Amino acid sequence: MKTILIVEDVELNRELLVQLLEDDYRLELAADGASALERAAEAKPDLILMDLSLPRMDGWEATRRLKADEALSRIPVIVLSAHAMRGDEERARASGCDDFLTKPIDETLLFDKIARHLGD
Ligand SMILES: [Mg+2]
């Protein structure tokens, strides 16, 4: 079973993602960008779902640091953004994320993108 790291500061959103994914994936959780880097280094997840607005370190910066780390840079990062603004996607892409989803999350799209990036 592959491992997905969910990075989301709002508990309700985190729980929703857990409910959607827990049957098919092993899940790791982080509630801020700094913890996300720690969990990624420890758990070596196969994929990361990254919220953008996060305490301690935002999702853009956490993604940039993940992609600058040779040991972690190959992990696909799918950004989840509540900001449906064009600038956010461009900023996220510039930070090195592999894909982008806007909230509220479309479940079919979420599963499709995860499967594609995991090569399933
Ligand atoms: Mg947030």
Side-chain angles (χ1 to χ4, degrees):
M1 191 179 268
K2 291 193 171 164
T3 301
I4 295 177
L5 170 60
I6 296 172
V7 187
E8 167 64 66
D9 60 322
V10 177
E11 189 177 359
L12 200 68
N13 294 344
R14 212 163 51 231
E15 286 307 313
L16 179 71
L17 288 165
V18 167
Q19 282 175 25
L20 287 173
L21 299 171
E22 66 185 350
D23 291 342
D24 298 311
Y25 301 101
R26 210 168 72 79
L27 300 178
E28 294 283 339
L29 303 174
D32 65 71
S35 304
L37 296 180
E38 289 166 18
R39 291 310 301 140
E42 284 167 15
K44 296 276 169 30
D46 298 291
L47 183 141
I48 298 172
L49 296 177
M50 179 75 77
D51 183 28
L52 286 176
S53 294
L54 293 167
R56 292 176 78 201
M57 181 191 301
D58 66 37
W60 291 282
E61 179 63 15
T63 300
R64 201 185 60 71
R65 293 196 191 195
L66 284 165
K67 292 304 181 183
D69 185 329
E70 228 172 86
L72 305 173
S73 63
R74 289 186 180 181
I75 303 171
V77 175
I78 301 178
V79 160
L80 310 176
S81 175
H83 320 193
M85 286 160 49
R86 221 182 129 65
D88 282 332
E89 174 161 5
E90 281 166 12
R91 249 183 99 194
R93 300 254 184 218
S95 74
C97 78
D98 299 272
D99 217 328
F100 192 90
L101 272 171
T102 47
K103 299 179 191 174
I105 299 298
D106 177 309
E107 292 178 26
T108 306
L109 215 52
L110 174 69
F111 282 111
D112 282 356
K113 286 190 186 242
I114 289 173
R116 192 185 323 148
H117 287 286
L118 288 175
D120 296 339

